[in-house]
Amino acid sequence: MHVAYPGMQLNIIPVTPFRQNCSILWNPETRRALVVDPGGDADTLLAFIDRHALEVEAILITHGHLDHAGGVAALRRGLAERAAPAPDVIGPDERDAFLLASIADQARHFGLEGLENATVDRFVQEGEVLDYAGCRLHVLHVPGHTPGHVVFVDKAARFAFVGDVLFRGTVGRTDFAYGDGPLLVSSIKDKLLPLTKESGGAAIRDDITVVPGHGGLTTLDTEAAGNPFLQG
């Protein structure tokens, strides 16, 4: 699915049986790109990258679940075979390291093959700003679904890649041993919803488009007004 994105091209490719939204964001002039949450189906992602002659500078990970990071290793190997150096693998917060190291076990639990543990070049922290492919992505730590879940926000373009934090009409699961429902809701209210009050410039709308880990896009204003988990 192609999504209008100011100054860039954004394609969302659902991967794995979980139909997780892997985002490929790229500059149409330089062909420089970044990939967010390659959960699997690396061959499909590589075919898209080859077809558009993209140079992937970074692979970003919002959190450590298998459907978001299980394809990182295969994608990085495939990209390294095409060009050197291999792209940087960045994120999430270090508190998700235990999940990245257990992806193969997670996959066996679901009867899935081809998903691998993921390693990163570095973890990220709240407040960092990442510069890749001509984008500046602000890092927010939004725990609750997982302890180290992060969100990547392009404040200029008014887009947020939120992983499994927020969806259209609902929020991420917290029924894991490490999940925390009240923390997730408070983190969304305290860190994400206020972003709509930060001006993106006179020519850019104030609302922020949300790219969730599964399902269709939404906006922060839409969820603030109607998401039952965020009322009160």
Side-chain angles (χ1 to χ4, degrees):
M1 175 177 66
H2 179 264
V3 178
Y5 195 107
M8 302 286 285
Q9 299 286 332
L10 173 60
N11 286 80
I12 298 174
I13 303 175
V15 296
T16 81
F18 296 101
R19 306 300 289 166
Q20 187 271 322
N21 290 331
C22 174
S23 295
I24 300 181
L25 182 63
W26 48 288
N27 185 307
E29 295 182 0
T30 66
R31 320 306 286 185
R32 293 159 56 204
L34 58 86
V35 179
V36 182
D37 284 352
D41 297 337
D43 288 346
T44 298
L45 302 178
L46 288 166
F48 179 92
I49 290 164
D50 288 344
R51 185 163 64 252
H52 294 277
L54 304 182
E55 177 187 351
V56 178
E57 294 184 348
I59 298 170
L60 308 184
I61 309 171
T62 60
H63 65 292
H65 281 160
L66 77 166
D67 54 328
H68 289 255
V72 167
L75 178 61
R76 193 170 195 264
R77 282 197 304 271
L79 291 171
E81 292 171 357
R82 286 159 169 76
D88 295 335
V89 179
I90 306 296
D93 180 281
E94 192 170 9
R95 280 163 277 200
D96 265 18
F98 75 103
L99 290 170
L100 295 175
S102 66
I103 289 174
D105 288 338
Q106 297 175 45
R108 281 191 289 271
H109 175 77
F110 287 101
L112 299 176
E113 297 180 354
L115 303 184
E116 304 173 52
N117 294 348
T119 58
V120 302
D121 292 301
R122 69 177 184 86
F123 294 100
V124 292
Q125 296 181 347
E126 170 94 19
E128 285 191 51
V129 181
L130 307 177
D131 288 287
Y132 288 107
C135 288
R136 288 176 56 83
L137 297 173
H138 295 253
V139 178
L140 297 177
H141 178 223
V142 187
H145 179 67
T146 68
H149 200 304
V150 297
V151 167
F152 302 107
V153 183
D154 185 335
K155 292 185 178 181
R158 312 302 285 167
F159 266 78
F161 299 89
V162 304
D164 285 353
V165 164
L166 180 64
F167 303 97
R168 185 185 296 169
T170 189
V171 298
R173 288 179 56 185
T174 57
D175 56 338
F176 310 108
Y178 48 79
D180 188 327
L183 177 61
L184 176 60
V185 170
S186 66
S187 296
I188 294 169
K189 289 181 176 180
D190 293 344
K191 296 185 179 183
L192 292 185
L193 298 188
L195 292 172
T196 61
K197 297 178 175 60
E198 298 181 11
S199 175
I204 302 176
R205 62 192 181 281
D206 288 334
D207 199 2
I208 288 185
T209 298
V210 170
V211 181
H214 306 266
L217 277 58
T218 184
T219 73
L220 288 182
D221 280 351
T222 297
E223 298 313 310
N227 190 312
F229 290 89
L230 304 179
Q231 306 310 303

PDB file of all heavy atoms in Angstrom, residues 72-110:
ATOM      1  N   VAL A  72      14.640  -9.205  10.587  1.00  0.00           N
ATOM      2  CA  VAL A  72      15.764  -8.268  10.585  1.00  0.00           C
ATOM      3  C   VAL A  72      17.043  -8.929  10.088  1.00  0.00           C
ATOM      4  O   VAL A  72      17.754  -8.391   9.227  1.00  0.00           O
ATOM      5  CB  VAL A  72      15.972  -7.679  11.997  1.00  0.00           C
ATOM      6  CG1 VAL A  72      17.310  -6.966  12.089  1.00  0.00           C
ATOM      7  CG2 VAL A  72      14.839  -6.729  12.349  1.00  0.00           C
ATOM      8  N   ALA A  73      17.382 -10.083  10.641  1.00  0.00           N
ATOM      9  CA  ALA A  73      18.650 -10.738  10.299  1.00  0.00           C
ATOM     10  C   ALA A  73      18.711 -11.088   8.813  1.00  0.00           C
ATOM     11  O   ALA A  73      19.721 -10.828   8.139  1.00  0.00           O
ATOM     12  CB  ALA A  73      18.835 -11.991  11.158  1.00  0.00           C
ATOM     13  N   ALA A  74      17.632 -11.675   8.287  1.00  0.00           N
ATOM     14  CA  ALA A  74      17.627 -12.070   6.874  1.00  0.00           C
ATOM     15  C   ALA A  74      17.656 -10.853   5.956  1.00  0.00           C
ATOM     16  O   ALA A  74      18.329 -10.862   4.918  1.00  0.00           O
ATOM     17  CB  ALA A  74      16.401 -12.930   6.583  1.00  0.00           C
ATOM     18  N   LEU A  75      16.934  -9.808   6.318  1.00  0.00           N
ATOM     19  CA  LEU A  75      16.927  -8.613   5.489  1.00  0.00           C
ATOM     20  C   LEU A  75      18.307  -7.968   5.476  1.00  0.00           C
ATOM     21  O   LEU A  75      18.812  -7.566   4.414  1.00  0.00           O
ATOM     22  CB  LEU A  75      15.886  -7.619   6.013  1.00  0.00           C
ATOM     23  CG  LEU A  75      15.803  -6.292   5.256  1.00  0.00           C
ATOM     24  CD1 LEU A  75      15.419  -6.509   3.806  1.00  0.00           C
ATOM     25  CD2 LEU A  75      14.797  -5.348   5.933  1.00  0.00           C
ATOM     26  N   ARG A  76      18.945  -7.878   6.623  1.00  0.00           N
ATOM     27  CA  ARG A  76      20.273  -7.268   6.678  1.00  0.00           C
ATOM     28  C   ARG A  76      21.277  -8.079   5.861  1.00  0.00           C
ATOM     29  O   ARG A  76      22.114  -7.506   5.154  1.00  0.00           O
ATOM     30  CB  ARG A  76      20.736  -7.144   8.133  1.00  0.00           C
ATOM     31  CG  ARG A  76      21.951  -6.234   8.310  1.00  0.00           C
ATOM     32  CD  ARG A  76      22.202  -5.951   9.782  1.00  0.00           C
ATOM     33  NE  ARG A  76      23.102  -4.826   9.970  1.00  0.00           N
ATOM     34  CZ  ARG A  76      24.411  -4.924  10.167  1.00  0.00           C
ATOM     35  NH1 ARG A  76      24.980  -6.121  10.194  1.00  0.00           N
ATOM     36  NH2 ARG A  76      25.156  -3.855  10.340  1.00  0.00           N
ATOM     37  N   ARG A  77      21.207  -9.419   5.953  1.00  0.00           N
ATOM     38  CA  ARG A  77      22.112 -10.245   5.142  1.00  0.00           C
ATOM     39  C   ARG A  77      21.891  -9.989   3.658  1.00  0.00           C
ATOM     40  O   ARG A  77      22.838  -9.841   2.878  1.00  0.00           O
ATOM     41  CB  ARG A  77      21.894 -11.724   5.451  1.00  0.00           C
ATOM     42  CG  ARG A  77      22.531 -12.213   6.730  1.00  0.00           C
ATOM     43  CD  ARG A  77      22.611 -13.731   6.740  1.00  0.00           C
ATOM     44  NE  ARG A  77      21.316 -14.359   6.547  1.00  0.00           N
ATOM     45  CZ  ARG A  77      20.475 -14.662   7.541  1.00  0.00           C
ATOM     46  NH1 ARG A  77      20.788 -14.367   8.798  1.00  0.00           N
ATOM     47  NH2 ARG A  77      19.330 -15.243   7.281  1.00  0.00           N
ATOM     48  N   GLY A  78      20.623  -9.954   3.258  1.00  0.00           N
ATOM     49  CA  GLY A  78      20.312  -9.740   1.850  1.00  0.00           C
ATOM     50  C   GLY A  78      20.785  -8.396   1.357  1.00  0.00           C
ATOM     51  O   GLY A  78      21.305  -8.270   0.234  1.00  0.00           O
ATOM     52  N   LEU A  79      20.639  -7.364   2.174  1.00  0.00           N
ATOM     53  CA  LEU A  79      21.095  -6.032   1.773  1.00  0.00           C
ATOM     54  C   LEU A  79      22.611  -5.961   1.723  1.00  0.00           C
ATOM     55  O   LEU A  79      23.185  -5.299   0.847  1.00  0.00           O
ATOM     56  CB  LEU A  79      20.535  -4.991   2.745  1.00  0.00           C
ATOM     57  CG  LEU A  79      19.017  -4.783   2.673  1.00  0.00           C
ATOM     58  CD1 LEU A  79      18.549  -3.900   3.819  1.00  0.00           C
ATOM     59  CD2 LEU A  79      18.614  -4.183   1.329  1.00  0.00           C
ATOM     60  N   ALA A  80      23.277  -6.651   2.658  1.00  0.00           N
ATOM     61  CA  ALA A  80      24.744  -6.652   2.672  1.00  0.00           C
ATOM     62  C   ALA A  80      25.300  -7.323   1.423  1.00  0.00           C
ATOM     63  O   ALA A  80      26.393  -6.968   0.949  1.00  0.00           O
ATOM     64  CB  ALA A  80      25.253  -7.361   3.924  1.00  0.00           C
ATOM     65  N   GLU A  81      24.572  -8.293   0.877  1.00  0.00           N
ATOM     66  CA  GLU A  81      25.012  -8.957  -0.346  1.00  0.00           C
ATOM     67  C   GLU A  81      24.889  -8.044  -1.565  1.00  0.00           C
ATOM     68  O   GLU A  81      25.587  -8.238  -2.565  1.00  0.00           O
ATOM     69  CB  GLU A  81      24.182 -10.215  -0.578  1.00  0.00           C
ATOM     70  CG  GLU A  81      24.440 -11.315   0.451  1.00  0.00           C
ATOM     71  CD  GLU A  81      23.448 -12.455   0.324  1.00  0.00           C
ATOM     72  OE1 GLU A  81      22.525 -12.344  -0.524  1.00  0.00           O
ATOM     73  OE2 GLU A  81      23.569 -13.439   1.080  1.00  0.00           O
ATOM     74  N   ARG A  82      24.012  -7.042  -1.474  1.00  0.00           N
ATOM     75  CA  ARG A  82      23.761  -6.152  -2.598  1.00  0.00           C
ATOM     76  C   ARG A  82      24.682  -4.938  -2.597  1.00  0.00           C
ATOM     77  O   ARG A  82      25.022  -4.416  -3.654  1.00  0.00           O
ATOM     78  CB  ARG A  82      22.297  -5.703  -2.573  1.00  0.00           C
ATOM     79  CG  ARG A  82      21.337  -6.801  -2.998  1.00  0.00           C
ATOM     80  CD  ARG A  82      19.925  -6.542  -2.493  1.00  0.00           C
ATOM     81  NE  ARG A  82      18.962  -7.446  -3.102  1.00  0.00           N
ATOM     82  CZ  ARG A  82      18.823  -8.721  -2.753  1.00  0.00           C
ATOM     83  NH1 ARG A  82      19.588  -9.244  -1.811  1.00  0.00           N
ATOM     84  NH2 ARG A  82      17.915  -9.490  -3.349  1.00  0.00           N
ATOM     85  N   ALA A  83      25.035  -4.461  -1.410  1.00  0.00           N
ATOM     86  CA  ALA A  83      25.865  -3.261  -1.316  1.00  0.00           C
ATOM     87  C   ALA A  83      26.513  -3.203   0.049  1.00  0.00           C
ATOM     88  O   ALA A  83      25.975  -3.701   1.030  1.00  0.00           O
ATOM     89  CB  ALA A  83      25.017  -2.004  -1.543  1.00  0.00           C
ATOM     90  N   ALA A  84      27.674  -2.592   0.113  1.00  0.00           N
ATOM     91  CA  ALA A  84      28.354  -2.401   1.394  1.00  0.00           C
ATOM     92  C   ALA A  84      28.384  -0.899   1.700  1.00  0.00           C
ATOM     93  O   ALA A  84      28.493  -0.080   0.796  1.00  0.00           O
ATOM     94  CB  ALA A  84      29.766  -2.966   1.336  1.00  0.00           C
ATOM     95  N   PRO A  85      28.302  -0.495   2.940  1.00  0.00           N
ATOM     96  CA  PRO A  85      28.138  -1.357   4.107  1.00  0.00           C
ATOM     97  C   PRO A  85      26.683  -1.773   4.306  1.00  0.00           C
ATOM     98  O   PRO A  85      25.787  -1.193   3.692  1.00  0.00           O
ATOM     99  CB  PRO A  85      28.607  -0.451   5.252  1.00  0.00           C
ATOM    100  CG  PRO A  85      28.203   0.920   4.798  1.00  0.00           C
ATOM    101  CD  PRO A  85      28.437   0.935   3.311  1.00  0.00           C
ATOM    102  N   ALA A  86      26.476  -2.754   5.175  1.00  0.00           N
ATOM    103  CA  ALA A  86      25.124  -3.163   5.529  1.00  0.00           C
ATOM    104  C   ALA A  86      24.453  -2.027   6.296  1.00  0.00           C
ATOM    105  O   ALA A  86      25.120  -1.211   6.934  1.00  0.00           O
ATOM    106  CB  ALA A  86      25.168  -4.423   6.389  1.00  0.00           C
ATOM    107  N   PRO A  87      23.120  -1.947   6.246  1.00  0.00           N
ATOM    108  CA  PRO A  87      22.428  -0.858   6.947  1.00  0.00           C
ATOM    109  C   PRO A  87      22.561  -0.981   8.460  1.00  0.00           C
ATOM    110  O   PRO A  87      22.748  -2.070   9.005  1.00  0.00           O
ATOM    111  CB  PRO A  87      20.972  -1.034   6.508  1.00  0.00           C
ATOM    112  CG  PRO A  87      20.862  -2.480   6.158  1.00  0.00           C
ATOM    113  CD  PRO A  87      22.182  -2.854   5.565  1.00  0.00           C
ATOM    114  N   ASP A  88      22.456   0.164   9.139  1.00  0.00           N
ATOM    115  CA  ASP A  88      22.416   0.164  10.593  1.00  0.00           C
ATOM    116  C   ASP A  88      21.111  -0.480  11.059  1.00  0.00           C
ATOM    117  O   ASP A  88      20.061  -0.287  10.440  1.00  0.00           O
ATOM    118  CB  ASP A  88      22.461   1.595  11.136  1.00  0.00           C
ATOM    119  CG  ASP A  88      23.768   2.312  10.823  1.00  0.00           C
ATOM    120  OD1 ASP A  88      24.790   1.622  10.634  1.00  0.00           O
ATOM    121  OD2 ASP A  88      23.754   3.551  10.772  1.00  0.00           O
ATOM    122  N   VAL A  89      21.188  -1.242  12.148  1.00  0.00           N
ATOM    123  CA  VAL A  89      19.991  -1.773  12.796  1.00  0.00           C
ATOM    124  C   VAL A  89      19.853  -1.042  14.128  1.00  0.00           C
ATOM    125  O   VAL A  89      20.724  -1.136  14.993  1.00  0.00           O
ATOM    126  CB  VAL A  89      20.075  -3.294  13.019  1.00  0.00           C
ATOM    127  CG1 VAL A  89      18.817  -3.795  13.723  1.00  0.00           C
ATOM    128  CG2 VAL A  89      20.252  -4.013  11.681  1.00  0.00           C
ATOM    129  N   ILE A  90      18.743  -0.305  14.275  1.00  0.00           N
ATOM    130  CA  ILE A  90      18.583   0.632  15.379  1.00  0.00           C
ATOM    131  C   ILE A  90      17.299   0.339  16.153  1.00  0.00           C
ATOM    132  O   ILE A  90      16.246   0.136  15.571  1.00  0.00           O
ATOM    133  CB  ILE A  90      18.517   2.082  14.858  1.00  0.00           C
ATOM    134  CG1 ILE A  90      19.736   2.404  13.976  1.00  0.00           C
ATOM    135  CG2 ILE A  90      18.397   3.072  16.004  1.00  0.00           C
ATOM    136  CD1 ILE A  90      21.049   2.363  14.701  1.00  0.00           C
ATOM    137  N   GLY A  91      17.420   0.359  17.502  1.00  0.00           N
ATOM    138  CA  GLY A  91      16.257   0.225  18.370  1.00  0.00           C
ATOM    139  C   GLY A  91      15.972  -1.216  18.688  1.00  0.00           C
ATOM    140  O   GLY A  91      16.628  -2.120  18.165  1.00  0.00           O
ATOM    141  N   PRO A  92      15.031  -1.422  19.575  1.00  0.00           N
ATOM    142  CA  PRO A  92      14.235  -0.481  20.380  1.00  0.00           C
ATOM    143  C   PRO A  92      15.010  -0.026  21.612  1.00  0.00           C
ATOM    144  O   PRO A  92      16.248   0.001  21.577  1.00  0.00           O
ATOM    145  CB  PRO A  92      13.012  -1.321  20.758  1.00  0.00           C
ATOM    146  CG  PRO A  92      13.570  -2.723  20.827  1.00  0.00           C
ATOM    147  CD  PRO A  92      14.630  -2.799  19.765  1.00  0.00           C
ATOM    148  N   ASP A  93      14.315   0.311  22.691  1.00  0.00           N
ATOM    149  CA  ASP A  93      14.958   0.554  23.975  1.00  0.00           C
ATOM    150  C   ASP A  93      15.545  -0.766  24.483  1.00  0.00           C
ATOM    151  O   ASP A  93      15.013  -1.844  24.219  1.00  0.00           O
ATOM    152  CB  ASP A  93      13.918   1.096  24.961  1.00  0.00           C
ATOM    153  CG  ASP A  93      14.486   1.375  26.345  1.00  0.00           C
ATOM    154  OD1 ASP A  93      14.645   0.405  27.115  1.00  0.00           O
ATOM    155  OD2 ASP A  93      14.755   2.541  26.659  1.00  0.00           O
ATOM    156  N   GLU A  94      16.644  -0.676  25.217  1.00  0.00           N
ATOM    157  CA  GLU A  94      17.364  -1.872  25.658  1.00  0.00           C
ATOM    158  C   GLU A  94      16.515  -2.814  26.508  1.00  0.00           C
ATOM    159  O   GLU A  94      16.821  -4.001  26.618  1.00  0.00           O
ATOM    160  CB  GLU A  94      18.614  -1.462  26.433  1.00  0.00           C
ATOM    161  CG  GLU A  94      19.583  -2.605  26.687  1.00  0.00           C
ATOM    162  CD  GLU A  94      20.904  -2.136  27.246  1.00  0.00           C
ATOM    163  OE1 GLU A  94      21.010  -0.936  27.599  1.00  0.00           O
ATOM    164  OE2 GLU A  94      21.840  -2.960  27.309  1.00  0.00           O
ATOM    165  N   ARG A  95      15.440  -2.310  27.073  1.00  0.00           N
ATOM    166  CA  ARG A  95      14.582  -3.156  27.908  1.00  0.00           C
ATOM    167  C   ARG A  95      13.849  -4.229  27.109  1.00  0.00           C
ATOM    168  O   ARG A  95      13.222  -5.119  27.692  1.00  0.00           O
ATOM    169  CB  ARG A  95      13.601  -2.277  28.691  1.00  0.00           C
ATOM    170  CG  ARG A  95      14.227  -1.641  29.918  1.00  0.00           C
ATOM    171  CD  ARG A  95      13.440  -0.483  30.478  1.00  0.00           C
ATOM    172  NE  ARG A  95      13.739   0.749  29.754  1.00  0.00           N
ATOM    173  CZ  ARG A  95      13.517   1.972  30.233  1.00  0.00           C
ATOM    174  NH1 ARG A  95      12.989   2.116  31.451  1.00  0.00           N
ATOM    175  NH2 ARG A  95      13.821   3.041  29.524  1.00  0.00           N
ATOM    176  N   ASP A  96      13.941  -4.182  25.778  1.00  0.00           N
ATOM    177  CA  ASP A  96      13.382  -5.247  24.940  1.00  0.00           C
ATOM    178  C   ASP A  96      14.442  -6.218  24.440  1.00  0.00           C
ATOM    179  O   ASP A  96      14.140  -7.076  23.600  1.00  0.00           O
ATOM    180  CB  ASP A  96      12.642  -4.650  23.742  1.00  0.00           C
ATOM    181  CG  ASP A  96      11.148  -4.494  23.986  1.00  0.00           C
ATOM    182  OD1 ASP A  96      10.737  -4.518  25.164  1.00  0.00           O
ATOM    183  OD2 ASP A  96      10.391  -4.330  23.010  1.00  0.00           O
ATOM    184  N   ALA A  97      15.653  -6.136  24.956  1.00  0.00           N
ATOM    185  CA  ALA A  97      16.720  -7.020  24.484  1.00  0.00           C
ATOM    186  C   ALA A  97      16.367  -8.484  24.673  1.00  0.00           C
ATOM    187  O   ALA A  97      16.680  -9.333  23.823  1.00  0.00           O
ATOM    188  CB  ALA A  97      18.028  -6.692  25.206  1.00  0.00           C
ATOM    189  N   PHE A  98      15.693  -8.812  25.771  1.00  0.00           N
ATOM    190  CA  PHE A  98      15.351 -10.220  26.029  1.00  0.00           C
ATOM    191  C   PHE A  98      14.379 -10.759  24.990  1.00  0.00           C
ATOM    192  O   PHE A  98      14.401 -11.956  24.661  1.00  0.00           O
ATOM    193  CB  PHE A  98      14.784 -10.374  27.447  1.00  0.00           C
ATOM    194  CG  PHE A  98      13.373  -9.876  27.628  1.00  0.00           C
ATOM    195  CD1 PHE A  98      12.310 -10.771  27.695  1.00  0.00           C
ATOM    196  CD2 PHE A  98      13.102  -8.520  27.740  1.00  0.00           C
ATOM    197  CE1 PHE A  98      11.006 -10.322  27.873  1.00  0.00           C
ATOM    198  CE2 PHE A  98      11.812  -8.057  27.926  1.00  0.00           C
ATOM    199  CZ  PHE A  98      10.748  -8.963  27.982  1.00  0.00           C
ATOM    200  N   LEU A  99      13.528  -9.906  24.442  1.00  0.00           N
ATOM    201  CA  LEU A  99      12.593 -10.349  23.402  1.00  0.00           C
ATOM    202  C   LEU A  99      13.306 -10.547  22.070  1.00  0.00           C
ATOM    203  O   LEU A  99      13.035 -11.521  21.355  1.00  0.00           O
ATOM    204  CB  LEU A  99      11.464  -9.330  23.253  1.00  0.00           C
ATOM    205  CG  LEU A  99      10.477  -9.262  24.415  1.00  0.00           C
ATOM    206  CD1 LEU A  99       9.546  -8.057  24.274  1.00  0.00           C
ATOM    207  CD2 LEU A  99       9.661 -10.550  24.504  1.00  0.00           C
ATOM    208  N   LEU A 100      14.206  -9.654  21.720  1.00  0.00           N
ATOM    209  CA  LEU A 100      14.962  -9.816  20.473  1.00  0.00           C
ATOM    210  C   LEU A 100      15.773 -11.102  20.482  1.00  0.00           C
ATOM    211  O   LEU A 100      15.969 -11.732  19.434  1.00  0.00           O
ATOM    212  CB  LEU A 100      15.894  -8.621  20.273  1.00  0.00           C
ATOM    213  CG  LEU A 100      15.238  -7.262  20.059  1.00  0.00           C
ATOM    214  CD1 LEU A 100      16.305  -6.170  19.998  1.00  0.00           C
ATOM    215  CD2 LEU A 100      14.389  -7.244  18.801  1.00  0.00           C
ATOM    216  N   ALA A 101      16.242 -11.501  21.679  1.00  0.00           N
ATOM    217  CA  ALA A 101      17.062 -12.714  21.805  1.00  0.00           C
ATOM    218  C   ALA A 101      16.232 -13.984  21.888  1.00  0.00           C
ATOM    219  O   ALA A 101      16.798 -15.085  21.927  1.00  0.00           O
ATOM    220  CB  ALA A 101      17.950 -12.601  23.047  1.00  0.00           C
ATOM    221  N   SER A 102      14.907 -13.858  21.876  1.00  0.00           N
ATOM    222  CA  SER A 102      14.045 -15.045  22.008  1.00  0.00           C
ATOM    223  C   SER A 102      13.071 -15.183  20.845  1.00  0.00           C
ATOM    224  O   SER A 102      12.090 -15.918  20.940  1.00  0.00           O
ATOM    225  CB  SER A 102      13.264 -14.979  23.326  1.00  0.00           C
ATOM    226  OG  SER A 102      12.343 -13.887  23.326  1.00  0.00           O
ATOM    227  N   ILE A 103      13.344 -14.494  19.721  1.00  0.00           N
ATOM    228  CA  ILE A 103      12.420 -14.547  18.587  1.00  0.00           C
ATOM    229  C   ILE A 103      12.272 -15.958  18.040  1.00  0.00           C
ATOM    230  O   ILE A 103      11.157 -16.398  17.714  1.00  0.00           O
ATOM    231  CB  ILE A 103      12.875 -13.568  17.480  1.00  0.00           C
ATOM    232  CG1 ILE A 103      12.641 -12.137  17.938  1.00  0.00           C
ATOM    233  CG2 ILE A 103      12.143 -13.851  16.170  1.00  0.00           C
ATOM    234  CD1 ILE A 103      13.180 -11.090  16.987  1.00  0.00           C
ATOM    235  N   ALA A 104      13.370 -16.703  17.923  1.00  0.00           N
ATOM    236  CA  ALA A 104      13.277 -18.078  17.409  1.00  0.00           C
ATOM    237  C   ALA A 104      12.377 -18.928  18.302  1.00  0.00           C
ATOM    238  O   ALA A 104      11.586 -19.746  17.807  1.00  0.00           O
ATOM    239  CB  ALA A 104      14.664 -18.692  17.301  1.00  0.00           C
ATOM    240  N   ASP A 105      12.476 -18.744  19.606  1.00  0.00           N
ATOM    241  CA  ASP A 105      11.605 -19.471  20.529  1.00  0.00           C
ATOM    242  C   ASP A 105      10.161 -19.020  20.376  1.00  0.00           C
ATOM    243  O   ASP A 105       9.239 -19.845  20.419  1.00  0.00           O
ATOM    244  CB  ASP A 105      12.066 -19.250  21.976  1.00  0.00           C
ATOM    245  CG  ASP A 105      13.360 -19.971  22.297  1.00  0.00           C
ATOM    246  OD1 ASP A 105      13.690 -20.944  21.589  1.00  0.00           O
ATOM    247  OD2 ASP A 105      14.043 -19.554  23.246  1.00  0.00           O
ATOM    248  N   GLN A 106       9.949 -17.715  20.217  1.00  0.00           N
ATOM    249  CA  GLN A 106       8.596 -17.210  19.982  1.00  0.00           C
ATOM    250  C   GLN A 106       8.000 -17.851  18.730  1.00  0.00           C
ATOM    251  O   GLN A 106       6.834 -18.265  18.704  1.00  0.00           O
ATOM    252  CB  GLN A 106       8.613 -15.692  19.815  1.00  0.00           C
ATOM    253  CG  GLN A 106       9.077 -14.878  21.008  1.00  0.00           C
ATOM    254  CD  GLN A 106       9.160 -13.387  20.657  1.00  0.00           C
ATOM    255  OE1 GLN A 106       8.251 -12.827  20.034  1.00  0.00           O
ATOM    256  NE2 GLN A 106      10.252 -12.741  21.037  1.00  0.00           N
ATOM    257  N   ALA A 107       8.816 -17.938  17.670  1.00  0.00           N
ATOM    258  CA  ALA A 107       8.340 -18.484  16.400  1.00  0.00           C
ATOM    259  C   ALA A 107       7.952 -19.954  16.535  1.00  0.00           C
ATOM    260  O   ALA A 107       6.930 -20.393  15.988  1.00  0.00           O
ATOM    261  CB  ALA A 107       9.410 -18.306  15.325  1.00  0.00           C
ATOM    262  N   ARG A 108       8.773 -20.719  17.256  1.00  0.00           N
ATOM    263  CA  ARG A 108       8.441 -22.134  17.464  1.00  0.00           C
ATOM    264  C   ARG A 108       7.121 -22.284  18.194  1.00  0.00           C
ATOM    265  O   ARG A 108       6.337 -23.206  17.914  1.00  0.00           O
ATOM    266  CB  ARG A 108       9.568 -22.833  18.226  1.00  0.00           C
ATOM    267  CG  ARG A 108      10.760 -23.204  17.353  1.00  0.00           C
ATOM    268  CD  ARG A 108      11.731 -24.112  18.072  1.00  0.00           C
ATOM    269  NE  ARG A 108      12.455 -23.407  19.125  1.00  0.00           N
ATOM    270  CZ  ARG A 108      13.597 -22.754  18.928  1.00  0.00           C
ATOM    271  NH1 ARG A 108      14.137 -22.725  17.723  1.00  0.00           N
ATOM    272  NH2 ARG A 108      14.195 -22.142  19.925  1.00  0.00           N
ATOM    273  N   HIS A 109       6.852 -21.395  19.121  1.00  0.00           N
ATOM    274  CA  HIS A 109       5.588 -21.427  19.864  1.00  0.00           C
ATOM    275  C   HIS A 109       4.397 -21.283  18.920  1.00  0.00           C
ATOM    276  O   HIS A 109       3.341 -21.894  19.133  1.00  0.00           O
ATOM    277  CB  HIS A 109       5.581 -20.305  20.914  1.00  0.00           C
ATOM    278  CG  HIS A 109       4.288 -20.166  21.645  1.00  0.00           C
ATOM    279  ND1 HIS A 109       3.910 -21.033  22.647  1.00  0.00           N
ATOM    280  CD2 HIS A 109       3.274 -19.260  21.528  1.00  0.00           C
ATOM    281  CE1 HIS A 109       2.721 -20.667  23.112  1.00  0.00           C
ATOM    282  NE2 HIS A 109       2.321 -19.591  22.450  1.00  0.00           N
ATOM    283  N   PHE A 110       4.557 -20.493  17.857  1.00  0.00           N
ATOM    284  CA  PHE A 110       3.474 -20.274  16.895  1.00  0.00           C
ATOM    285  C   PHE A 110       3.572 -21.198  15.682  1.00  0.00           C
ATOM    286  O   PHE A 110       2.769 -21.079  14.747  1.00  0.00           O
ATOM    287  CB  PHE A 110       3.483 -18.817  16.421  1.00  0.00           C
ATOM    288  CG  PHE A 110       2.993 -17.839  17.444  1.00  0.00           C
ATOM    289  CD1 PHE A 110       3.897 -17.081  18.183  1.00  0.00           C
ATOM    290  CD2 PHE A 110       1.645 -17.666  17.687  1.00  0.00           C
ATOM    291  CE1 PHE A 110       3.459 -16.164  19.130  1.00  0.00           C
ATOM    292  CE2 PHE A 110       1.189 -16.763  18.632  1.00  0.00           C
ATOM    293  CZ  PHE A 110       2.106 -16.010  19.357  1.00  0.00           C
TER     294      PHE A 110
END
